[in-house]
Amino acid sequence: MSVLDLFRLDGKVAVVTGGNRGIGKAIATALAEAGATVVVAARDAERNEQAVAEISKAGPAAHAVTTDVTSRSDLVNLRDTVTERLGPIDVLINNAGVGIHGESLTIDDEGWDRVMATNLDAVWKASQVIGEQMVGRRSGAIVNVGSMSGMIINRPQWHAPYAVSKAGVHHLTRSLAAEWAPHGVRVNAIAPGYTKTEISDIDDPRWKHYWIDEVPMQRYAQSAEIAPSALYLASAASTFVTGEILVIDGGYTLW
Ligand code: NDP
Protein backbone atom coordinates (compact mmCIF):
# COMPACT_ATOMS: atom_id res chain seq x y z
CA MET A 1 0.00 0.00 0.00
CA SER A 2 1.28 3.46 -0.90
CA VAL A 3 1.47 6.01 1.89
CA LEU A 4 -0.85 8.19 -0.17
CA ASP A 5 -3.54 5.48 0.09
CA LEU A 6 -3.75 6.26 3.81
CA PHE A 7 -5.28 9.62 2.91
CA ARG A 8 -8.08 7.98 0.91
CA LEU A 9 -11.63 8.02 2.28
CA ASP A 10 -13.30 5.75 -0.27
CA GLY A 11 -16.60 4.37 1.02
CA LYS A 12 -16.60 6.74 4.02
CA VAL A 13 -19.43 9.11 4.92
CA ALA A 14 -18.30 12.57 6.04
CA VAL A 15 -20.45 15.36 7.48
CA VAL A 16 -19.12 18.93 7.25
CA THR A 17 -21.02 21.54 9.26
CA GLY A 18 -20.97 24.92 7.56
CA GLY A 19 -19.72 23.19 4.43
CA ASN A 20 -21.43 25.53 1.99
CA ARG A 21 -18.68 28.15 1.75
CA GLY A 22 -15.24 29.21 2.97
CA ILE A 23 -13.04 26.82 4.89
CA GLY A 24 -15.87 24.28 5.27
CA LYS A 25 -16.43 24.05 1.52
CA ALA A 26 -12.70 23.65 0.91
CA ILE A 27 -12.56 20.82 3.47
CA ALA A 28 -15.69 19.20 1.98
CA THR A 29 -14.11 19.34 -1.48
CA ALA A 30 -10.86 17.81 -0.22
CA LEU A 31 -12.70 14.94 1.52
CA ALA A 32 -14.75 14.30 -1.64
CA GLU A 33 -11.59 14.27 -3.75
CA ALA A 34 -10.23 11.66 -1.33
CA GLY A 35 -13.29 9.51 -2.08
CA ALA A 36 -15.71 10.33 0.75
CA THR A 37 -19.42 10.82 0.28
CA VAL A 38 -19.80 14.29 1.77
CA VAL A 39 -22.85 15.79 3.48
CA VAL A 40 -23.03 19.57 3.80
CA ALA A 41 -24.88 20.67 6.95
CA ALA A 42 -25.63 24.39 7.08
CA ARG A 43 -28.68 26.67 7.29
CA ASP A 44 -28.90 28.23 3.81
CA ALA A 45 -30.55 25.49 1.70
CA GLU A 46 -29.93 27.23 -1.63
CA ARG A 47 -26.28 27.76 -0.87
CA ASN A 48 -25.99 24.18 0.34
CA GLU A 49 -27.25 22.93 -3.04
CA GLN A 50 -24.81 25.17 -4.94
CA ALA A 51 -21.95 23.84 -2.82
CA VAL A 52 -23.10 20.23 -3.27
CA ALA A 53 -23.00 20.68 -7.06
CA GLU A 54 -19.42 21.97 -6.87
CA ILE A 55 -18.23 19.38 -4.33
CA SER A 56 -19.73 16.56 -6.42
CA LYS A 57 -17.33 17.47 -9.26
CA ALA A 58 -14.43 16.46 -7.01
CA GLY A 59 -15.68 13.00 -6.00
CA PRO A 60 -18.80 10.94 -5.25
CA ALA A 61 -22.16 12.74 -5.37
CA ALA A 62 -22.42 15.00 -2.32
CA HIS A 63 -25.58 15.67 -0.31
CA ALA A 64 -27.05 18.44 1.82
CA VAL A 65 -29.14 18.36 4.97
CA THR A 66 -30.37 21.79 6.03
CA THR A 67 -29.13 22.13 9.59
CA ASP A 68 -28.82 24.78 12.27
CA VAL A 69 -26.03 23.41 14.41
CA THR A 70 -27.27 25.28 17.46
CA SER A 71 -30.37 23.04 17.47
CA ARG A 72 -29.99 19.59 19.01
CA SER A 73 -33.10 18.35 17.17
CA ASP A 74 -31.60 19.50 13.84
CA LEU A 75 -28.44 17.56 14.69
CA VAL A 76 -30.41 14.43 15.54
CA ASN A 77 -32.29 14.82 12.25
CA LEU A 78 -28.93 15.24 10.46
CA ARG A 79 -27.52 12.04 11.97
CA ASP A 80 -30.64 10.00 11.34
CA THR A 81 -31.20 11.28 7.79
CA VAL A 82 -27.59 10.65 6.78
CA THR A 83 -27.57 7.20 8.38
CA GLU A 84 -30.78 6.22 6.64
CA ARG A 85 -29.71 7.49 3.20
CA LEU A 86 -25.97 6.82 3.20
CA GLY A 87 -25.08 4.71 6.22
CA PRO A 88 -23.39 5.62 9.51
CA ILE A 89 -21.14 8.66 9.76
CA ASP A 90 -17.41 7.99 9.69
CA VAL A 91 -16.11 11.57 9.75
CA LEU A 92 -17.53 14.67 11.43
CA ILE A 93 -16.01 18.07 10.67
CA ASN A 94 -17.30 20.63 13.18
CA ASN A 95 -16.57 23.71 11.10
CA ALA A 96 -19.62 26.04 11.38
CA GLY A 97 -18.67 29.25 13.12
CA VAL A 98 -19.48 32.93 13.54
CA GLY A 99 -17.40 35.86 14.73
CA ILE A 100 -18.08 39.29 16.14
CA HIS A 101 -15.62 42.07 16.82
CA GLY A 102 -16.06 44.65 19.52
CA GLU A 103 -14.66 45.99 22.74
CA SER A 104 -15.84 43.81 25.61
CA LEU A 105 -17.81 46.61 27.29
CA THR A 106 -19.90 46.99 24.11
CA ILE A 107 -20.85 43.33 23.59
CA ASP A 108 -24.26 42.43 24.97
CA ASP A 109 -25.46 39.06 26.23
CA GLU A 110 -27.08 38.25 22.89
CA GLY A 111 -23.71 38.64 21.12
CA TRP A 112 -21.87 36.49 23.66
CA ASP A 113 -24.61 33.84 23.61
CA ARG A 114 -24.77 33.68 19.80
CA VAL A 115 -21.04 33.15 19.44
CA MET A 116 -20.94 30.51 22.17
CA ALA A 117 -24.03 28.73 20.83
CA THR A 118 -22.56 28.34 17.34
CA ASN A 119 -18.84 27.99 17.99
CA LEU A 120 -18.71 25.96 21.20
CA ASP A 121 -22.10 24.60 22.33
CA ALA A 122 -22.83 23.27 18.84
CA VAL A 123 -19.49 21.44 18.71
CA TRP A 124 -20.42 19.81 22.02
CA LYS A 125 -23.92 18.90 20.80
CA ALA A 126 -22.83 17.59 17.39
CA SER A 127 -20.02 15.59 18.99
CA GLN A 128 -22.50 14.05 21.44
CA VAL A 129 -25.18 13.29 18.84
CA ILE A 130 -22.86 11.87 16.18
CA GLY A 131 -20.18 10.69 18.63
CA GLU A 132 -22.73 8.44 20.29
CA GLN A 133 -23.07 6.57 17.00
CA MET A 134 -19.27 6.49 16.51
CA VAL A 135 -18.61 5.20 20.03
CA GLY A 136 -21.30 2.57 19.48
CA ARG A 137 -19.54 1.42 16.30
CA ARG A 138 -16.06 1.80 17.88
CA SER A 139 -15.01 3.82 14.82
CA GLY A 140 -14.91 7.44 13.75
CA ALA A 141 -12.89 10.62 13.39
CA ILE A 142 -13.99 14.07 14.53
CA VAL A 143 -12.11 17.16 13.37
CA ASN A 144 -13.03 20.45 15.02
CA VAL A 145 -12.19 23.78 13.44
CA GLY A 146 -10.69 25.85 16.24
CA SER A 147 -8.56 28.90 15.63
CA MET A 148 -5.23 30.44 16.53
CA SER A 149 -7.52 32.94 18.29
CA GLY A 150 -8.04 30.23 20.89
CA MET A 151 -4.31 30.37 21.66
CA ILE A 152 -3.31 34.03 21.41
CA ILE A 153 -4.99 37.43 21.74
CA ASN A 154 -5.54 39.02 18.32
CA ARG A 155 -4.92 42.72 17.66
CA PRO A 156 -6.12 45.36 17.00
CA GLN A 157 -9.78 44.25 16.91
CA TRP A 158 -11.02 42.72 20.15
CA HIS A 159 -13.22 39.66 20.07
CA ALA A 160 -13.22 38.09 23.52
CA PRO A 161 -16.29 35.84 23.00
CA TYR A 162 -14.86 34.40 19.76
CA ALA A 163 -11.44 33.76 21.30
CA VAL A 164 -12.95 32.13 24.38
CA SER A 165 -15.23 29.94 22.24
CA LYS A 166 -12.25 28.69 20.23
CA ALA A 167 -10.14 28.04 23.35
CA GLY A 168 -13.12 26.01 24.56
CA VAL A 169 -13.18 24.07 21.29
CA HIS A 170 -9.53 23.18 21.76
CA HIS A 171 -10.04 21.90 25.28
CA LEU A 172 -13.24 20.08 24.36
CA THR A 173 -11.18 18.39 21.63
CA ARG A 174 -8.65 17.17 24.18
CA SER A 175 -11.33 16.12 26.66
CA LEU A 176 -13.31 14.04 24.17
CA ALA A 177 -10.12 12.63 22.65
CA ALA A 178 -9.02 11.20 25.99
CA GLU A 179 -12.48 9.91 26.83
CA TRP A 180 -13.21 8.28 23.49
CA ALA A 181 -9.76 6.95 22.54
CA PRO A 182 -10.48 3.57 24.19
CA HIS A 183 -13.72 3.47 22.16
CA GLY A 184 -11.95 3.78 18.79
CA VAL A 185 -12.95 7.40 18.12
CA ARG A 186 -10.28 10.03 17.43
CA VAL A 187 -10.95 13.72 18.11
CA ASN A 188 -8.59 16.39 16.78
CA ALA A 189 -8.73 20.05 15.82
CA ILE A 190 -7.18 22.41 13.34
CA ALA A 191 -6.37 25.97 14.37
CA PRO A 192 -6.22 28.18 11.28
CA GLY A 193 -4.66 31.62 11.21
CA TYR A 194 -5.90 34.49 9.05
CA THR A 195 -7.71 32.97 6.07
CA LYS A 196 -9.51 34.74 3.26
CA THR A 197 -13.25 33.96 3.57
CA GLU A 198 -16.48 35.86 4.16
CA ILE A 199 -15.98 35.88 7.94
CA SER A 200 -12.81 37.99 7.72
CA ASP A 201 -12.42 41.50 6.25
CA ILE A 202 -8.84 40.56 5.62
CA ASP A 203 -8.12 42.86 2.69
CA ASP A 204 -9.00 46.01 4.65
CA PRO A 205 -5.83 48.16 4.43
CA ARG A 206 -6.37 49.30 8.04
CA TRP A 207 -5.47 45.84 9.31
CA LYS A 208 -2.64 45.02 6.86
CA HIS A 209 0.08 45.70 9.43
CA TYR A 210 -1.45 43.31 11.97
CA TRP A 211 -2.93 40.67 9.70
CA ILE A 212 -0.28 40.38 7.01
CA ASP A 213 2.97 42.16 7.93
CA GLU A 214 3.08 40.51 11.37
CA VAL A 215 2.64 37.00 9.95
CA PRO A 216 6.11 35.47 9.47
CA MET A 217 5.03 34.31 5.98
CA GLN A 218 3.80 37.86 5.27
CA ARG A 219 0.45 36.77 3.88
CA TYR A 220 -2.88 35.22 4.76
CA ALA A 221 -4.06 31.71 3.83
CA GLN A 222 -6.50 30.57 1.20
CA SER A 223 -9.12 28.03 2.35
CA ALA A 224 -7.56 25.39 0.11
CA GLU A 225 -4.39 25.58 2.24
CA ILE A 226 -6.36 24.68 5.38
CA ALA A 227 -8.26 21.71 3.92
CA PRO A 228 -5.39 19.16 3.58
CA SER A 229 -4.75 19.23 7.34
CA ALA A 230 -8.40 18.34 7.98
CA LEU A 231 -8.08 15.45 5.51
CA TYR A 232 -4.96 14.23 7.32
CA LEU A 233 -6.76 14.21 10.68
CA ALA A 234 -9.91 12.63 9.22
CA SER A 235 -8.07 9.80 7.45
CA ALA A 236 -5.99 6.73 8.24
CA ALA A 237 -2.90 8.88 7.73
CA SER A 238 -3.31 9.92 11.38
CA THR A 239 -4.45 6.69 13.09
CA PHE A 240 -2.22 7.30 16.16
CA VAL A 241 -3.07 11.01 16.48
CA THR A 242 -5.75 12.19 18.88
CA GLY A 243 -6.29 15.30 20.99
CA GLU A 244 -3.99 17.29 18.70
CA ILE A 245 -4.55 20.96 17.83
CA LEU A 246 -2.85 21.39 14.47
CA VAL A 247 -1.93 25.06 13.94
CA ILE A 248 -1.98 26.36 10.34
CA ASP A 249 -1.09 30.03 10.65
CA GLY A 250 1.94 30.90 8.50
CA GLY A 251 3.92 31.12 11.73
CA TYR A 252 1.83 33.81 13.44
CA THR A 253 1.74 32.12 16.87
CA LEU A 254 5.53 31.74 16.87
CA TRP A 255 6.11 35.29 18.09
P1 NDP B 1 -17.70 31.66 6.67
O1 NDP B 1 -18.45 32.79 7.29
O2 NDP B 1 -17.22 31.80 5.27
O3 NDP B 1 -18.58 30.33 6.76
C1 NDP B 1 -19.25 30.01 7.94
C2 NDP B 1 -20.05 28.76 7.68
O4 NDP B 1 -20.71 28.38 8.90
C3 NDP B 1 -21.13 28.95 6.63
O5 NDP B 1 -21.15 27.79 5.83
C4 NDP B 1 -22.42 29.05 7.44
O6 NDP B 1 -23.50 28.56 6.67
C5 NDP B 1 -22.08 28.16 8.62
N1 NDP B 1 -22.86 28.43 9.81
C6 NDP B 1 -22.85 29.54 10.59
N2 NDP B 1 -23.77 29.44 11.57
C7 NDP B 1 -24.34 28.21 11.43
C8 NDP B 1 -25.36 27.52 12.12
N3 NDP B 1 -25.97 28.05 13.19
N4 NDP B 1 -25.70 26.29 11.70
C9 NDP B 1 -25.11 25.73 10.62
N5 NDP B 1 -24.13 26.34 9.92
C10 NDP B 1 -23.77 27.58 10.32
O7 NDP B 1 -16.51 31.34 7.68
P2 NDP B 1 -15.08 30.65 7.52
O8 NDP B 1 -15.07 29.68 6.40
O9 NDP B 1 -14.06 31.71 7.57
O10 NDP B 1 -14.99 29.90 8.91
C11 NDP B 1 -15.16 28.51 9.05
C12 NDP B 1 -14.60 28.12 10.40
O11 NDP B 1 -13.21 28.45 10.45
C13 NDP B 1 -15.26 28.84 11.58
O12 NDP B 1 -15.39 27.96 12.67
C14 NDP B 1 -14.25 29.93 11.89
O13 NDP B 1 -14.33 30.37 13.23
C15 NDP B 1 -12.96 29.21 11.61
N6 NDP B 1 -11.79 30.05 11.39
C16 NDP B 1 -11.78 30.99 10.39
C17 NDP B 1 -10.66 31.78 10.18
C18 NDP B 1 -10.59 32.83 9.12
O14 NDP B 1 -9.65 33.64 9.14
N7 NDP B 1 -11.52 32.84 8.17
C19 NDP B 1 -9.47 31.63 11.04
C20 NDP B 1 -9.60 30.62 12.04
C21 NDP B 1 -10.71 29.86 12.20
P3 NDP B 1 -25.02 29.10 6.82
O15 NDP B 1 -24.95 30.57 7.05
O16 NDP B 1 -25.70 28.70 5.54
O17 NDP B 1 -25.58 28.34 8.00
Side-chain angles (χ1 to χ4, degrees), residues 198-218:
E198 288 179 29
I199 210 176
S200 54
D201 40 358
I202 210 156
D203 284 318
D204 188 326
R206 283 178 300 166
W207 318 128
K208 179 179 175 294
H209 170 74
Y210 298 95
W211 291 8
I212 295 177
D213 299 346
E214 290 204 341
V215 181
M217 286 192 183
Q218 305 268 292

Side-chain angles (χ1 to χ4, degrees), residues 17-24 41-44 47-48 67-70 95-98 118-119 145-148 162 166 191-200 202 223:
T17 71
N20 67 13
R21 64 176 197 241
I23 291 172
R43 294 165 302 180
D44 185 333
R47 211 155 177 163
N48 289 350
T67 307
D68 181 341
V69 292
T70 64
N95 162 79
V98 292
T118 311
N119 293 8
V145 179
S147 172
M148 71 172 181
Y162 180 83
K166 292 299 185 180
Y194 295 122
T195 308
K196 187 172 173 60
T197 65
E198 288 179 29
I199 210 176
S200 54
I202 210 156
S223 296

